Amino acid sequence: MAAPAAVSTFSPSSSAAHRPQRRLPASPASGRSTRTLPPARTVASSRAPLVVSSPPPTPATAPTQGQPKVDRSGRFCSPRAARELALMVSYAACLEGADVVRHFDRRVAARREDGYVFNKASLQSYNFMSFCGGPLEVATEEEAQKLMSQNEKDSANEAEVLSAPPRLVYNNFVLRLARDMLVAVASGWDQHVEVINKIIPQHWKDEPVARILELCILHIAMAEMTSRGTPHKVAINEAVDLAKRFCDGGAPRIINGCLRTYVKDHINNGNSQPAESKE
């Protein structure tokens, strides 16, 4: 099944430049800068603190919860990694008007470019809990420059990881889990489109091309709950975290509300029967 627009229709050639914050790379060959962050800016006066509109760097003492889980081969091996990969593929498939599963298979099977070398050290620096944030106040121009420099390094590292050939980044468990999620997304797409049209706010309906990421997150979460039997709380929390990472500031709250409505009105009322958990 070809992946239609996440809600109604959109042109596969339409640009996703409307995204106000982070974007996932559309394909492994899309370069190292397709996942963008808003440029950091500063507002200074003689007395007022500087304001930097970029997320803070992850401190060295941050909890290990957000750090990547890698196996002995040095590849990601966590369900969170599978969800990010499924989102990346869903987003790219929607932009191309392609079938999500076929797009995944094509990307996994793609040959590396001649001379391509992947730096596995970038996996150790990758942080699944690095979320988009609001403006930060700093006292000096030097602090602002440090934050902007760290932000640029983090963004470049994440772009390196997200655009690398999947087999270099993810182990077989993650690849299988991501593909299973996408199979569930494809099989439930039409049914979930009808539900999504009822539960999302009007301004999302008015700009579906600008909301492809958000709509893909909803599809993945719904597919997890109905086809894979993922516990509702887990699926919703994971969807909200994906929205915090890759969407604008209001998206996590809206996605949380939409999925809770979906559970209340469509799953708990027996309109959709979740399957036995496969995770």
Side-chain angles (χ1 to χ4, degrees):
M1 182 191 99
V7 169
S8 52
T9 59
F10 76 98
S11 170
S13 61
S14 299
S15 170
H18 304 286
R19 303 302 308 137
Q21 296 200 23
R22 306 188 184 205
R23 292 202 306 272
L24 289 162
S27 71
S30 59
R32 296 293 183 266
S33 60
T34 51
R35 183 179 180 277
T36 61
L37 287 167
R41 57 185 173 84
T42 60
V43 179
S45 68
S46 57
R47 296 181 182 272
L50 295 172
V51 178
V52 183
S53 61
S54 66
T58 303
T61 57
T64 57
Q65 175 187 0
Q67 298 306 314
K69 295 181 179 179
V70 296
D71 63 10
R72 293 181 179 179
S73 70
R75 295 177 175 86
F76 290 153
C77 57
S78 69
R80 171 64 62 88
R83 291 182 177 95
E84 280 200 3
L85 178 57
L87 176 60
M88 177 167 52
V89 172
S90 297
Y91 176 70
C94 283
L95 290 179
E96 297 180 8
D99 178 274
V100 291
V101 180
R102 291 179 182 175
H103 187 89
F104 175 87
D105 290 342
R106 186 170 69 249
R107 173 162 184 179
V108 171
R111 298 181 60 182
R112 305 177 205 172
E113 297 179 3
D114 292 339
Y116 175 79
V117 178
F118 176 63
N119 179 15
K120 277 198 172 184
S122 61
L123 300 182
Q124 297 296 333
S125 302
Y126 191 89
N127 188 351
F128 289 103
M129 301 297 285
S130 174
F131 298 142
C132 296
L136 300 173
E137 291 188 0
V138 295
T140 67
E141 182 71 27
E142 182 180 0
E143 290 183 54
Q145 290 297 331
K146 286 182 179 180
L147 283 174
M148 289 188 288
S149 176
Q150 184 64 48
N151 185 44
E152 291 173 358
K153 290 179 182 179
D154 291 343
S155 295
N157 184 76
E158 293 187 7
E160 174 77 15
V161 171
L162 292 175
S163 59
R167 290 196 179 277
L168 297 180
V169 178
Y170 310 98
N171 71 359
N172 288 334
F173 164 76
V174 170
L175 293 175
R176 286 195 302 268
L177 180 56
R179 191 181 192 279
D180 288 346
M181 290 179 182
L182 292 171
V183 169
V185 166
S187 64
W189 189 280
D190 293 339
Q191 178 186 359
H192 291 153
V193 163
E194 295 179 5
V195 176
I196 288 172
N197 269 323
K198 297 176 182 177
I199 62 179
I200 62 173
Q202 184 61 45
H203 67 279
W204 281 20
K205 298 179 185 179
D206 294 339
E207 50 179 16
V209 173
R211 295 294 173 182
I212 295 175
L213 272 175
E214 290 89 337
L215 298 169
C216 286
I217 290 172
L218 289 175
H219 274 285
I220 291 170
M222 291 178 178
E224 280 205 74
M225 288 187 279
T226 57
S227 296
R228 296 191 50 78
T230 303
H232 305 160
K233 184 177 180 180
V234 172
I236 293 174
N237 287 344
E238 290 292 322
V240 169
D241 278 352
L242 287 175
K244 287 179 181 178
R245 276 182 58 67
F246 300 112
C247 306
D248 63 35
R253 176 181 54 81
I254 294 174
I255 284 176
N256 180 65
C258 288
L259 291 176
R260 290 184 181 278
T261 298
Y262 173 66
V263 170
K264 175 176 175 288
D265 294 347
H266 297 273
I267 292 184
N268 289 347
N269 285 345
N271 294 335
S272 181
Q273 295 296 327
E276 183 181 351
S277 177
K278 297 181 182 179
E279 278 195 34

